[in-house]
Amino acid sequence: MSKTVHQRRPPASLTAAVDLVIFTVRDGRLHVLLIERGNMPYRGEAALPGGFVRDGEALDAAARRELREETGVADDSLHLEQLHAYGDPGRDPRGRIISIAYLALGPDLPMPQAGTDASAAHWTPVSSILDGQITLAFDHEKILRDGLERARSQLEHTTIATAFCMEPFTIADLRQIYEAVWGLPLDPSNFRRKVMKTEGFVIPIGERRLPDVGRPAGLFRRGLAETLTPPLTRSGSVDLM
Amino acid sequence: MSKTVHQRRPPASLTAAVDLVIFTVRDGRLHVLLIERGNMPYRGEAALPGGFVRDGEALDAAARRELREETGVADDSLHLEQLHAYGDPGRDPRGRIISIAYLALGPDLPMPQAGTDASAAHWTPVSSILDGQITLAFDHEKILRDGLERARSQLEHTTIATAFCMEPFTIADLRQIYEAVWGLPLDPSNFRRKVMKTEGFVIPIGERRLPDVGRPAGLFRRGLAETLTPPLTRSGSVDLM
DNA sequence: AGTCATTTAGGTAAACATGACCATAAGTGC
DNA sequence: GCACTTATGGTCATGTTTACCTAAATGACT
């Protein structure tokens, strides 16, 4: 047998799609953007937003385009990274479609509702999918779980938690992101110490925000650092339950 | 506009391939398995092993099959994980081919040379690609660099370094894996302390290996743990350079 | 004005982890 | 036995983390 043995079998011809796991944090809980499917299959069911990759279009570009179409948000203001490729035969009843899933993180955005694809989109608490209240079309629950695990891990090692925050933000805002994504309460004092000690994580802008109640909090914007050394460990939690 | 706006553009029809970054450690240096291409394009040049995904074949299955075809190694003895999908138009002159790259880690295997695809395969020091001595076809150098970064990161947070070792192995064997992948010398004493302290990383089998020179070393096999808590940091190195 | 609830901000001590280094153990070759 | 090599174990100063505690700054309430 020669090296070309697998060339004898015709390569499968298929279609590529991108699916997006778009996370945000609203009132202390992690939400994901879901759409209600307007076409068969799974018509009327909840699914991750996504669409087909076009001719001559790069994967990242397709993901950016879908993100823009689904959220109406300017391109570069959201964090977007490739998550995983899903290509099991039979994952889509329409045929052989492999999906490149992307993870997007953003602040709690005003969702444009009219005149765009986003009209069918809803922010949904992630917990309501994890506990089975809502089921997703295709293999989208698996994709969502993988995206959640990636987001949780990224918070430990990188500064992307700031992508969830609208600038300027307070240390408490940032802490709520961690608590929502990890599902754990954190000690405010220790959290602040770790964040402040990491050079370039957040930069004070010298102003303060007056809350409804309590002492005013210092305001910050994102720093230039991308990686956390040392990492923020998930273990340092307070057990309030 | 309705949700189906993007359905009007025909989805791109394309071909999917899997490419493999197969790492091993030989005499203290990290090596990657490369093949010499037998067909156009890039005929005669070095490339990562890989091939097309077949009709009805899952991505992971295609990667396993290629791994077996290229190395002649039993399926489940090597660590295999999906790395990233590469789909830029123009990355392959033959047409729109998106490649799902996989990362494989294994011990220094006896490579079957005759009668298989592996006849064109060679273990190549990763350093000789990074410093430009060897150039790779397609975008395979980018894929290799991504795979290397993934492997380096995985060694910090997981126990997959044991996948590089033939059982039973010594702590020094394991340390050499870390030194080869990270490209850093580590303190033997401190390394041992960290490995032993992590519950379920390695399990002593009570025997010892007689080396050519030096005190006999205790032998171990893989434990059940998959994650390292705390992580093994890359910083704890001895500067011998 | 004074008190209270609330939240931010900063500090402390014990436990723990780390890095650099030293000492001893257990083999081989001479 | 002696020199050499590698494995293994320990020490110690230093840094980090955790679980707290205290103080500061505000609005609400009386």
Side-chain angles (χ1 to χ4, degrees), chain A residues 16-39:
Chain A
V18 291
D19 284 313
L20 279 72
V21 181
I22 311 173
F23 283 137
T24 198
V25 174
R26 315 185 95 180
D27 13 278
R29 289 189 307 163
L30 185 67
H31 287 65
V32 62
L33 190 73
L34 297 183
I35 55 136
E36 187 182 332
R37 285 188 56 78
N39 300 322

Side-chain angles (χ1 to χ4, degrees), chain A residues 12-72:
Chain A
S13 178
L14 43 81
T15 304
V18 291
D19 284 313
L20 279 72
V21 181
I22 311 173
F23 283 137
T24 198
V25 174
R26 315 185 95 180
D27 13 278
R29 289 189 307 163
L30 185 67
H31 287 65
V32 62
L33 190 73
L34 297 183
I35 55 136
E36 187 182 332
R37 285 188 56 78
N39 300 322
M40 295 300 289
Y42 296 102
R43 183 176 196 136
E45 290 189 38
L48 296 174
F52 292 113
V53 177
R54 294 180 182 165
D55 222 23
E57 185 179 46
L59 302 179
D60 288 6
R64 279 266 167 228
R65 174 177 53 77
E66 289 293 336
L67 180 60
R68 188 175 51 241
E69 287 176 6
E70 304 286 357
T71 68

Side-chain angles (χ1 to χ4, degrees), chain B residues 2-233:
Chain B
S2 82
K3 156 120 216 334
T4 58
V5 64
H6 47 272
Q7 305 265 0
R8 294 199 198 116
R9 298 222 195 181
S13 177
L14 44 80
T15 304
V18 290
D19 285 312
L20 276 65
V21 181
I22 312 172
F23 283 138
T24 197
V25 174
R26 315 186 95 182
D27 10 279
R29 289 188 307 163
L30 185 67
H31 288 65
V32 63
L33 191 73
L34 298 183
I35 55 135
E36 187 183 332
R37 285 187 55 78
N39 300 322
M40 295 298 290
Y42 297 102
R43 183 176 194 137
E45 291 189 38
L48 296 174
F52 292 112
V53 177
R54 293 180 183 165
D55 224 21
E57 184 179 45
L59 302 180
D60 289 6
R64 279 265 168 228
R65 174 177 52 76
E66 290 292 337
L67 181 61
R68 187 175 51 242
E69 287 176 7
E70 305 285 357
T71 69
V73 157
D75 267 9
D76 47 358
S77 68
L78 275 82
H79 174 88
L80 185 67
E81 66 179 86
Q82 193 188 111
L83 180 58
H84 198 83
Y86 300 84
D88 280 0
R91 63 172 291 278
D92 191 314
R94 290 170 290 185
R96 187 72 197 265
I97 299 177
I98 80 171
S99 168
I100 319 296
Y102 279 77
L103 175 66
L105 309 177
D108 189 2
L109 313 154
M111 286 272 306
Q113 290 293 339
T116 71
D117 286 9
S119 54
H122 307 279
W123 287 117
T124 307
V126 170
S127 59
S128 68
I129 298 151
L130 295 183
D131 64 17
Q133 285 181 41
I134 296 178
T135 58
L136 301 187
F138 306 106
D139 51 0
H140 287 188
E141 179 171 335
K142 163 73 171 153
I143 299 177
L144 171 67
R145 287 178 185 274
D146 290 350
L148 177 58
E149 197 40 60
R150 172 77 68 91
R152 284 177 168 165
S153 169
Q154 290 279 58
L155 256 57
E156 287 187 316
H157 307 297
T158 77
T159 61
I160 43 117
T162 58
F164 283 103
C165 296
M166 203 91 75
E167 287 185 309
F169 53 85
T170 68
I171 299 292
D173 292 339
L174 193 61
R175 179 167 46 84
Q176 278 186 33
I177 303 299
Y178 276 86
E179 292 178 330
V181 176
W182 285 350
L184 296 169
L186 300 175
D187 182 289
S189 183
N190 292 338
F191 179 81
R192 150 176 277 268
R193 184 183 50 200
K194 290 187 189 181
V195 170
M196 301 298 281
K197 147 150 38 180
T198 303
E199 197 75 19
F201 192 174
V202 298
I203 298 174
I205 64 172
E207 297 168 40
R208 294 191 295 171
R209 173 184 297 169
L210 292 179
D212 290 348
V213 61
R215 174 177 172 174
L219 288 170
F220 299 81
R221 57 183 173 82
R222 291 181 257 279
L224 296 172
E226 297 207 327
T227 58
L228 295 179
T229 49
L232 255 142
T233 52

Side-chain angles (χ1 to χ4, degrees), chain A residues 127-219:
Chain A
S127 59
S128 68
I129 298 151
L130 295 183
D131 65 16
Q133 286 182 41
I134 297 177
T135 58
L136 302 187
F138 307 105
D139 51 359
H140 286 188
E141 180 171 334
K142 164 72 173 152
I143 299 177
L144 172 67
R145 288 178 184 274
D146 290 349
L148 177 58
E149 198 40 60
R150 171 77 69 92
R152 284 176 168 166
S153 169
Q154 290 281 57
L155 256 57
E156 288 186 317
H157 307 297
T158 76
T159 60
I160 44 118
T162 57
F164 283 104
C165 295
M166 204 89 77
E167 288 185 310
F169 53 85
T170 69
I171 299 292
D173 292 338
L174 192 61
R175 178 167 46 85
Q176 279 185 33
I177 302 299
Y178 275 86
E179 292 177 332
V181 175
W182 285 350
L184 296 170
L186 300 174
D187 182 291
S189 183
N190 292 338
F191 179 82
R192 148 176 278 269
R193 176 168 43 77
K194 290 186 188 182
V195 170
M196 301 299 281
K197 147 149 39 179
T198 302
E199 197 74 20
F201 193 174
V202 298
I203 298 175
I205 62 172
E207 298 168 40
R208 294 191 295 173
R209 174 184 297 169
L210 292 179
D212 289 348
V213 63
R215 174 176 171 173
L219 288 171

